[in-house]
Amino acid sequence: MTNLNDKMSRRKFLQMTAGAAIGAAMLNMPGMSFAAGAKVKAAAYNNLPDAVTLAANSELVQLSYQKIKDAVKTIQDRSLARMTMDIINNPVPTFMNNYQLPGSKRTVYNKLVAAGLLDSSKTSLENFMPPYNGGLPQPFYSAPGSGYASHHAYPGGLATHTAANLQISEGIYNTYTGLFNSALSHDIVIAAQALHDLAKPLVFQWQKDQSSLTEYQIAGTGAHHIFSIAEVIYRGFPVEEIVAQACAHTIPSGKDEQIVAGYLKAAAVIAGKDAEKLGLVTSKDTIPTPHKQEGYITSLGDHDFVLSGPACQKSVAILKEIAAKDYGMSKAGLEGEHFNRFRNYIGAQYSMMYIDSLASTKNGMDKIRQAVKNVVVK
């Protein structure tokens, strides 16, 4: 998910599962073990790296990235496992090959507008697709988890968000199969969750000021979701995986089923395919029946944002206060590249979830200040 204003019904029970607090006792010494083998690293205040380099050197980010790969390796269907891992290793948006000729973007843009799948008052032709030069915009592991004002908004946030979602989804899968003996495909749950945000390296490209590119909407949701679905359609993934992945942003119950069908139709148009002929939607703008539970699990598993979105926003506000008071950052610096590098470094080392968890403890502000001092050296 990207927009915190998206609907949260049927999702409340996951609010607590995504944010287990990690104790602050180990923060008194730089370089001490942080979480699950990751160690924080210190850098000079005036020499903080660019986003991609930062993510590549963050142990927390790389640990999360490896957890994603480990989860994908559990997929039993060798073809699905290979196709999924190919994207995790190299999320190049191959569907964009359709849009390298002059006028190609305008044609599909107009088609989406005519079908009621794109609101031209919210998304212009110029903003419809992110810049693309035929290569990989950035590695999977370096993209933020969402737009710069939402969840896991730091270099590597996509890796931490996806790793968290996979563990949450695994827990839901185990609950439903263990308690209810549900007939579920573990392969589809893992593949759909691993790939649900595969287009974020394209959509949230890092800018010169170390903020991420602004996202626009397609089919009433963040464009990354539609582009992610378009990519798996373009690559020929199984229908079951595509539909389950499409459910990540909306559970297909009642009228919301038409919303999911809209996601699939828009993505198919962008991929140059016919959603109905592929069996992704019916002539009545519904998804295939009977509904498979894997889509619901993918949606429930993607609700890390319920907690991590507010956690990121609150943490950024705290870090601005610390940047000004402890590091003397100017008002102008707090609104530009200087602060962006500062927040990016801290986020990629600890995660904003961790900063927010400290804030709720006794003497939380002092603990956060110490954590910052451990990784950003004056």
Side-chain angles (χ1 to χ4, degrees):
M1 301 294 286
T2 294
N3 191 336
L4 286 174
N5 293 321
D6 285 349
K7 290 183 285 187
M8 296 184 186
S9 59
R10 305 181 300 278
R11 302 165 178 175
K12 296 299 183 182
F13 79 91
L14 285 175
Q15 287 183 343
M16 300 305 297
T17 64
I22 304 169
M26 302 301 291
L27 286 174
N28 293 325
M29 296 177 63
M32 290 296 288
S33 180
F34 171 56
K39 295 181 180 179
V40 296
K41 300 176 182 178
Y45 175 59
N46 290 317
N47 192 33
L48 297 173
D50 290 346
V52 176
T53 301
L54 170 53
N57 293 324
S58 164
E59 291 196 21
L60 175 63
V61 170
Q62 293 304 315
L63 176 67
S64 298
Y65 186 48
Q66 185 58 51
K67 286 182 178 295
I68 298 167
K69 292 184 176 182
D70 290 344
V72 172
K73 290 177 183 176
T74 68
I75 297 174
Q76 296 298 304
D77 184 311
R78 290 298 87 196
S79 176
L80 181 60
R82 175 186 54 77
M83 294 170 74
T84 304
M85 190 68 81
D86 283 348
I87 292 176
I88 298 301
N89 286 331
N90 183 25
V92 60
T94 58
F95 75 89
M96 290 291 288
N97 293 333
N98 289 347
Y99 302 103
Q100 302 310 296
L101 296 176
S104 56
K105 291 181 183 179
R106 179 180 294 278
T107 298
V108 74
Y109 177 86
N110 290 340
K111 188 173 182 178
L112 290 169
V113 172
L117 296 169
L118 192 151
D119 185 342
S120 59
S121 69
K122 294 182 178 179
T123 304
S124 67
L125 174 61
E126 291 72 24
N127 295 323
F128 171 43
M129 290 183 172
Y132 180 69
N133 61 10
L136 180 64
Q138 63 178 311
F140 185 98
Y141 63 73
S142 68
S146 67
Y148 219 48
S150 190
H151 58 284
H152 301 286
Y154 50 84
L158 174 57
T160 59
H161 171 60
T162 304
N165 282 5
L166 282 163
Q167 292 193 44
I168 293 167
S169 296
E170 185 80 37
I172 299 171
Y173 171 87
N174 290 335
T175 298
Y176 288 173
T177 55
L179 189 60
F180 303 116
N181 199 27
S182 296
L184 297 169
S185 170
H186 185 266
D187 283 3
I188 296 300
V189 169
I190 296 302
Q193 196 61 263
L195 299 176
H196 82 286
D197 280 343
L198 71 88
K200 285 184 174 178
L202 170 68
V203 172
F204 295 119
Q205 297 176 43
W206 291 105
Q207 304 301 288
K208 185 176 181 181
D209 69 353
Q210 302 304 295
S211 66
S212 62
L213 195 66
T214 299
E215 179 181 39
Y216 295 87
Q217 288 198 347
I218 302 173
T221 193
H224 78 272
H225 186 53
I226 306 305
F227 293 148
S228 295
I229 303 167
E231 184 63 19
V232 292
I233 292 174
Y234 191 80
R235 294 193 186 211
F237 272 69
V239 168
E240 292 81 1
E241 189 284 330
I242 298 170
V243 173
Q245 183 178 321
C247 292
H249 279 201
T250 304
I251 294 175
S253 296
K255 293 182 179 179
D256 285 352
E257 182 176 0
Q258 292 185 333
I259 295 175
V260 178
Y263 298 160
L264 289 160
K265 290 169 63 179
V269 169
I270 292 170
K273 307 291 183 180
D274 186 305
E276 189 175 342
K277 287 182 179 179
L278 289 176
L280 299 172
V281 301
T282 72
S283 60
K284 296 181 180 180
D285 287 342
T286 60
I287 63 173
T289 56
H291 291 178
K292 293 182 177 293
Q293 293 184 357
E294 290 83 355
Y296 290 79
I297 292 175
T298 302
S299 186
L300 291 170
D302 189 29
H303 282 76
D304 157 66
F305 84 98
V306 173
L307 176 56
S308 59
C312 191
Q313 293 170 349
K314 290 185 288 184
S315 296
V316 169
I318 290 171
L319 293 177
K320 279 194 173 184
E321 180 180 343
I322 291 174
K325 291 184 177 180
D326 294 7
Y327 291 81
M329 195 174 293
S330 67
K331 185 175 181 179
L334 290 172
E335 301 302 326
E337 180 180 351
H338 204 179
F339 178 71
N340 290 342
R341 288 182 183 275
F342 184 79
R343 65 170 275 180
N344 282 350
Y345 196 83
I346 295 162
Q349 293 298 313
Y350 288 118
S351 82
M352 296 302 184
M353 289 288 290
Y354 180 62
I355 298 299
D356 182 62
S357 74
L358 290 184
S360 66
T361 64
K362 184 178 180 180
N363 300 320
M365 195 65 176
D366 291 338
K367 294 174 183 176
I368 295 171
R369 279 196 162 93
Q370 182 59 55
V372 172
K373 289 179 181 178
N374 285 345
V375 296
V376 180
V377 181
K378 289 185 179 179

